[in-house]
Amino acid sequence: MASGAEKQTDRMEKIVSLCKRRGFIFQSSEIYGGLNGAWDYGPLGAELKRNVKEHWWRSMTQLRDDIVGLDGAILMNRAVWKASGHEETFNDPMVDCKECKGRFRADQVESTPCPRKPSRSVKECEHEKTEPRAFNLMFRTHAGAIETDDSLVYLRPETAQAIFVQFKNILDTSRQKLPFGIAQIGKAFRNEINPRNFTFRSREFEQMELEYFCRAEDGLRLTDEWLENRLKWYESVGIPRSKIHILDVPEDKLAHYSKKTYDLEYEFPFGIQELEGVAYRTDFDLGTHQKHSGKSLEYFDEETKQRFVPHVVEPSAGVDRTVLALLCESYDEEEVADDKGNKETRVVLRFKPSVAPIKAAIFPLLKNKPELVAKAKEITSALRQEFRVFYDDSGAIGRRYRRQDEVGTPFCITVDFETLEGDKATGAKDTVTIRERDSMTQRRVPITELSSFIASALK
Ligand code: ATP
C-alpha cells in the first residue's frame, strides 16, 4: 500500500499533469528545454489567476474606502534597494557540492534531493560541501546602453518598496487619513537557488501586497485584524481555515524591524508551506527611506497637530502560491458510473464558481442537428457578454461533461429537443438543462433565467 507521503507525491504529480494537459500551467520556453523557475499560465491558468487577482483587488480597493491602489514600475532607482537593505542583506546561504558542482540552499539541504541520486537528500550525500556563503537573490541588469556600476538596476524582489517610496505622493493626491492602505499586485523576481515544487518557489512570480499605514499604538491590534481579514478572504476564494496553519513567528526569529509576524501556511501535498506573511513592520520602511532620501515621509495629523512617520502592517501574499493552493484544494477524484453503467474515475476541480476559469459550458445535444447548434450558439453569444463561457459540440454528452469537470466549470447547459419542441412536463419552449458540476444533478431552466442563475452562483 502506498504511504501517506507517496500518496501526496502522486496527487501532486496528477495536479501538475492536469495543469499541462488542460492548459493551466506550462513550463516556460518548453520547446527549448524550459527555464528552471519560470512558468507560463495557459488559457485556463490565465483566467484562474486573473480571477484570484481580481478578488483580492476588489476586496482591497473596491469594497473599502480606506485602501487605494498603485501599479509601480518593476525597475527602480538602485538607491531604493540600498536604503531598504536588500542590496546588503537579501541573501540566502548557499553551499556547493564539490563533487557534482550543484548549488543548494544551506538551510534546505535536508529537504533538497541530491541531483545524482534524488532518493536521498543533499545532506545525506557523502561528498564534501563548501562552507555556506551569502548569495544575493536580486536579479541584476543595466539601464541604458552602458554597463557600468552606475547603470546597475535590479528586477524588484518584492512589490512593497514602490509603495513606500510613493507614500507621500499617494497621501497628497488621495487625501487619505490614518489608518489607510496602499495595495499593489505585480511581478517580483528572486534568483532562488533551488526553485521547486512546481510554481511554489519560482524565480519570477506575482505578489499581492498591502501596506496598511497606522499610528504606532494601533500596530499590534491591526496586525491581528489583518490576520483575521486575510483568513476570511482565503475562505471566500475556496481555501478553508482548517487548511491554513497560522505560525506566530517566535520573537527570536522575527526580522529586526518587526514586532509581530504571522505566517499563513497551507497544507500543500508537498508539505505545510507559506502562502502569505502578515507582518507588523513598525516605522522601519518609511523611516529608512526618509533617512536615505532626505525627503520627509511624515504624516501630519490635523487634529493633534503632530507630525510623525507612520507605522505599517503588511499582509503580503503570493498570487502563484494562491493559485497552486486552489488547484490542490479543488482537485478531486471520485468513482462514478459512465453512460453504460461501467465504473470510471471522474476527475473534478471543485473551484468556487467565482474563481472558476469558465463559468458555464454550452452544448447542443447533437452536433448534426442545425437547429440545436444554432440555439446553443445563440445562448453562448448572449451569455458571453457577461461571463466567461465555452461552447462545445464534440463527442458524447457524457464526455463533454467530464471535460468540463476536469477544468472546474460549475455549470453545463444543454440544448435538446425539448428546448425547441417544448418541455415534456409543462409544454414550455425555450428551456434548457443545467447540470451542476459537484452534485451532477440536472434541472430545466428557462433560457431567459440563465444569466441570473449564473450570476447568483458567482456571489
Ligand atoms: P519563503 O520563505 O517561502 O521564501 P518569504 O518569506 O521569503 O517566502 P516574502 O518575502 O514574505 O516570502 O514574500 C511574500 C509572499 O510572496 C510569500 O508569502 C509568497 O506567497 C510569495 N513568494 C515569495 N517568494 C516566492 C517565490 N520564490 N515563488 C513564488 N512565490 C513567492
Side-chain angles (χ1 to χ4, degrees), residues 274-286:
E274 179 178 323
L275 258 188
E276 164 160 359
V278 178
Y280 172 29
R281 301 176 59 99
T282 65
D283 58 357
F284 171 78
D285 303 281
L286 290 181

Side-chain angles (χ1 to χ4, degrees), residues 49-66:
K49 200 178 184 200
R50 280 178 68 108
N51 292 343
V52 166
K53 290 192 281 185
E54 270 168 30
H55 253 274
W56 187 89
W57 191 252
R58 186 178 128 85
S59 78
M60 293 292 175
T61 66
Q62 185 180 329
L63 299 181
R64 305 179 56 125
D65 54 17
D66 58 346

Side-chain angles (χ1 to χ4, degrees), residues 231-404:
L231 289 168
K232 280 198 185 119
W233 183 82
Y234 282 109
E235 194 130 51
S236 76
V237 292
I239 301 173
R241 270 167 196 247
S242 56
K243 291 291 196 64
I244 296 183
H245 297 233
I246 300 161
L247 175 72
D248 186 349
V249 177
E251 246 169 67
D252 58 329
K253 296 259 164 49
L254 287 175
H256 63 94
Y257 46 76
S258 175
K259 279 212 175 136
K260 184 102 195 153
T261 298
Y262 295 111
D263 284 348
L264 279 67
E265 303 175 327
Y266 174 73
E267 284 177 21
F268 287 99
F270 44 82
I272 299 170
Q273 301 268 358
E274 179 178 323
L275 258 188
E276 164 160 359
V278 178
Y280 172 29
R281 301 176 59 99
T282 65
D283 58 357
F284 171 78
D285 303 281
L286 290 181
T288 198
H289 284 303
Q290 172 166 282
K291 188 169 132 215
H292 283 82
S293 67
K295 304 275 177 357
S296 166
L297 297 179
E298 284 178 330
Y299 175 85
F300 179 63
D301 188 325
E302 280 165 24
E303 277 169 31
T304 61
K305 307 291 176 214
Q306 281 176 318
R307 226 172 255 288
F308 57 94
V309 173
H311 282 223
V312 72
V313 176
E314 176 193 76
S316 169
V319 176
D320 309 77
R321 287 188 188 176
T322 307
V323 168
L324 186 57
L326 282 173
L327 286 162
C328 294
E329 187 60 33
S330 56
Y331 182 89
D332 197 12
E333 290 176 4
E334 64 178 6
E335 288 266 299
V336 289
D338 69 9
D339 301 345
K340 297 185 186 82
N342 301 319
K343 276 196 177 163
E344 65 169 8
T345 304
R346 177 171 93 113
V347 173
V348 49
L349 289 180
R350 300 192 191 275
F351 291 133
K352 283 208 163 194
S354 58
V355 297
I358 299 170
K359 310 302 181 198
I362 299 102
F363 311 148
L365 182 65
L366 297 171
K367 181 182 179 170
N368 55 5
K369 295 285 174 204
E371 324 83 90
L372 295 180
V373 168
K375 195 72 177 172
K377 288 194 170 164
E378 189 188 308
I379 294 172
T380 308
S381 312
L383 291 178
R384 176 168 288 148
Q385 305 305 317
E386 288 176 82
F387 314 105
R388 187 78 177 74
V389 294
F390 182 76
Y391 171 85
D392 186 11
D393 61 14
S394 68
I397 206 89
R399 297 256 40 96
R400 283 183 255 170
Y401 284 152
R402 292 287 178 275
R403 285 203 291 265
Q404 294 307 315

Side-chain angles (χ1 to χ4, degrees), residues 190 192 199-202 205 207 274-277 316-318 321:
R190 295 183 189 178
E192 298 280 357
T199 55
F200 179 84
R201 187 170 300 288
S202 310
F205 54 96
Q207 291 184 313
E274 179 178 323
L275 258 188
E276 164 160 359
S316 169
R321 287 188 188 176

